[in-house]
Amino acid sequence: MIMNYLVANIQDVTLGKMAAHFGYQPKYLFRLIRQLFDQTFSQLKTETRVSISKSLLELTTKSIEIVGYPSVSNLLPGL
């Protein structure tokens, strides 16, 4: 359920919003995510955004802006 919520709300999700959605305190959700995914919330969010962006670029003509990246250069700094 955590991943489903994260994917569905990837453009503007925050730890606070997600915690409120599930009725948890942010600190508890942070620890739960760390325990379940062995990552911090920020790491999980970034990994999810990159994964969705990669799929969009490979499989569709949709813009990666829908996951919060204004352009490919923002997704891949240093290019």
Side-chain angles (χ1 to χ4, degrees):
M1 293 183 71
I2 290 173
M3 282 305 296
N4 289 341
Y5 181 88
L6 184 62
V7 170
N9 298 282
I10 195 67
Q11 188 170 8
D12 64 350
V13 69
T14 65
L15 182 64
K17 287 181 184 179
M18 184 182 279
H21 173 80
F22 290 109
Y24 296 143
Q25 292 295 320
K27 287 182 181 182
Y28 173 78
L29 182 60
F30 182 88
R31 287 191 307 269
L32 182 62
I33 288 171
R34 185 70 172 212
Q35 181 181 13
L36 293 173
F37 301 100
D38 197 31
Q39 295 179 316
T40 65
F41 171 78
S42 295
Q43 290 169 327
L44 184 62
K45 180 180 172 182
T46 299
E47 182 179 287
T48 302
R49 286 176 77 190
V50 169
S51 178
I52 292 170
S53 297
K54 182 179 174 190
S55 294
L56 288 173
L57 290 170
E58 290 176 349
L59 305 173
T60 72
T61 58
K62 292 182 181 179
S63 171
I64 61 172
E65 289 178 7
I66 64 174
V67 294
Y69 290 118
S71 70
V72 174
S73 62
N74 290 91
L75 176 64
L76 303 169
L79 285 181

